[in-house]
Amino acid sequence: MDSLRDVKPIKFIFSIFCLIFILSACNSTAELPRFVQPLKPDGTLSFLVVGDWGRRGSYNQSQVALQMGKIGKDLNVDFLISTGDNFYDDGIISPYDSQFQDSFTNIYTASSLQKPWYNVLGNHDYRGNVYAQLSPILRDLDCRWICLRSYVVDAEIVDIFFVDTTPFVDKYFDEPKDHVYDWRGVLPRNKYLNNLLMDVDVALQESMAKWKIVVGHHTIKSAGHHGITIELDKQLLPILEANEVDLYINGHDHCLEHISSINSGIQFMTSGGGSKAWKGDMNDWNPQEMRFYYDGQGFMSVYTSEAELRVVFYDGFGRILHRWSTCKKGVYSDI
């Protein structure tokens, strides 16, 4: 918390932002809570995406955070997104768990990263106290922290839909091994998933934004260690395709990856290199779809204007690995 005490004016601004977000969510008529994210004066928006990070700075988490701070300053990012697995190995046990300070507040200390962090839960987070990560107490400790199960960030030109993907995966229920998952608020599972899919579908249909981005922890398409998440491929992907989603962004696989769909306009982006990576395995994938794969640590940035969406992947040293952009007319190109 010492680092935040040094930026009291910024912390005050975040408190106002958080209040706006909370009031917006409470007043929303949609099924999914909705947070308002203002654009820059020039009508653009930029943000960083990192996943699978919370290891008290180890496994190069601090190194990745350092580079995120530098790139975040260069891009003047408006906020950050975490694709889940926020705290290893088993989430946090309470809002006062030291993991929150040691893996988040005391790691992402750069001034450029003192912006809202929009988080989803990963499977490792479900092995802890889920309600602790959802608790408003964490926002009192560090107002950057915004975490719900599923919700929408409304930024005028882009709507970002955060989806709770862990309850979709059968093996966590059928073959948990020695892991204990916190399913409070999820059971009965079928009702939870049916309602979630309906809410996501309705929210996507009602979106008038130029761009639609969906964020979840688990992969849909991936050549990495975990590969395709069959349950999402069958249940969530058809909804994304029907609603012409532009990007699906995930973590779970500890790599950086870009896959294009040959069946739709969806681009599948994996940003799961926030700390421990280097699995050393990559599955075969259709070369017509595989744009980029990096089995290592890093993060990605996203820039949007009314006409353009641009993605850049960086390694743990801040070096650019891959660029991709598209315009709203549907003509895209690798840069």
Side-chain angles (χ1 to χ4, degrees):
M1 294 299 290
D2 291 338
S3 62
L4 291 180
R5 293 191 185 104
D6 294 334
V7 286
K8 291 182 180 178
I10 295 177
K11 186 175 181 181
F12 174 75
I13 292 172
F14 289 156
S15 298
I16 298 299
F17 274 141
C18 285
L19 179 60
I20 293 172
F21 293 152
I22 294 168
L23 291 176
S24 173
C26 292
N27 293 331
S28 174
T29 57
E31 290 296 327
L32 295 179
R34 184 172 293 267
F35 300 101
V36 176
Q37 175 65 50
L39 299 175
K40 291 184 175 72
D42 65 357
T44 65
L45 192 78
S46 60
F47 55 92
L48 301 182
V49 184
V50 66
D52 304 82
W53 42 267
R55 297 184 185 272
R56 301 183 188 269
S58 64
Y59 293 98
N60 290 330
Q61 183 194 357
S62 295
Q63 171 67 21
V64 174
L66 175 66
Q67 298 305 322
M68 288 174 60
K70 294 178 179 178
I71 300 299
K73 180 180 179 180
D74 292 342
L75 300 180
N76 187 22
V77 295
D78 299 284
F79 59 91
L80 298 97
I81 286 175
S82 168
T83 57
D85 278 1
N86 306 316
F87 303 102
Y88 285 96
D89 280 329
D90 300 312
I92 56 177
I93 59 175
S94 82
Y96 303 103
D97 192 324
S98 62
Q99 263 271 56
F100 183 71
Q101 303 291 329
D102 295 344
S103 292
F104 179 65
T105 298
N106 296 337
I107 300 298
Y108 302 102
T109 57
S111 60
S112 65
L113 306 183
Q114 308 307 306
K115 306 288 177 65
W117 281 63
Y118 297 106
N119 302 271
V120 291
L121 298 172
N123 52 297
H124 283 268
D125 300 311
Y126 263 96
R127 295 176 189 175
N129 180 347
V130 167
Y131 286 122
Q133 286 199 49
L134 304 178
S135 172
I137 293 174
L138 293 188
R139 286 197 293 272
D140 292 336
L141 296 173
D142 191 325
C143 197
R144 294 178 291 173
W145 187 261
I146 300 169
C147 186
L148 287 76
R149 294 184 193 269
S150 300
Y151 57 102
V152 182
V153 172
D154 178 353
E156 296 183 44
I157 58 175
V158 55
D159 279 343
I160 308 175
F161 305 82
F162 293 77
V163 179
D164 183 23
T165 60
T166 301
F168 283 90
V169 182
D170 292 337
K171 69 178 182 180
Y172 302 143
F173 294 85
D174 301 336
E175 301 175 28
K177 298 180 180 179
D178 58 344
H179 303 301
V180 177
Y181 292 88
D182 182 3
W183 296 126
R184 290 176 298 166
V186 169
L187 303 177
R189 181 188 176 204
N190 286 341
K191 180 179 180 180
Y192 178 83
L193 294 179
N194 288 337
N195 287 340
L196 176 55
L197 289 168
M198 180 177 64
D199 291 345
V200 171
D201 191 19
V202 169
L204 284 167
Q205 289 183 43
E206 293 179 346
S207 174
M208 300 299 291
K210 296 290 184 179
W211 306 100
K212 298 179 184 180
I213 298 174
V214 176
V215 177
H217 175 64
H218 290 78
T219 58
I220 293 182
K221 292 180 179 289
S222 175
H225 180 77
H226 293 102
I228 297 172
T229 303
I230 296 174
E231 297 87 348
L232 295 181
D233 184 68
K234 291 181 178 179
Q235 299 177 66
L236 181 61
L237 180 57
I239 293 173
L240 307 189
E241 292 174 337
N243 288 285
E244 300 181 331
V245 166
D246 297 288
L247 299 184
Y248 177 76
I249 302 176
N250 61 270
H252 199 44
D253 271 339
H254 297 186
C255 64
L256 305 174
E257 181 179 24
H258 174 197
I259 291 176
S260 291
S261 172
I262 59 175
N263 299 315
S264 70
I266 302 174
Q267 307 296 316
F268 297 88
M269 308 284 188
T270 297
S271 184
S275 60
K276 189 177 182 181
W278 311 107
K279 286 286 188 179
D281 53 0
M282 177 182 176
N283 298 311
D284 291 334
W285 200 270
N286 184 344
Q288 290 184 299
E289 290 192 332
M290 178 57 69
R291 295 296 188 89
F292 162 73
Y293 188 92
Y294 177 67
D295 183 24
Q297 294 149 341
F299 56 99
M300 60 182 275
S301 69
V302 179
Y303 164 90
T304 59
S305 66
E306 191 168 1
E308 183 186 12
L309 187 152
R310 187 187 311 154
V311 175
V312 181
F313 287 88
Y314 307 85
D315 69 9
F317 298 97
R319 296 174 298 200
I320 294 175
L321 300 174
H322 175 67
R323 301 174 189 253
W324 175 86
S325 68
T326 184
C327 68
K328 201 53 198 173
K329 292 181 180 179
V331 179
Y332 64 83
S333 62
D334 293 304
I335 301 175

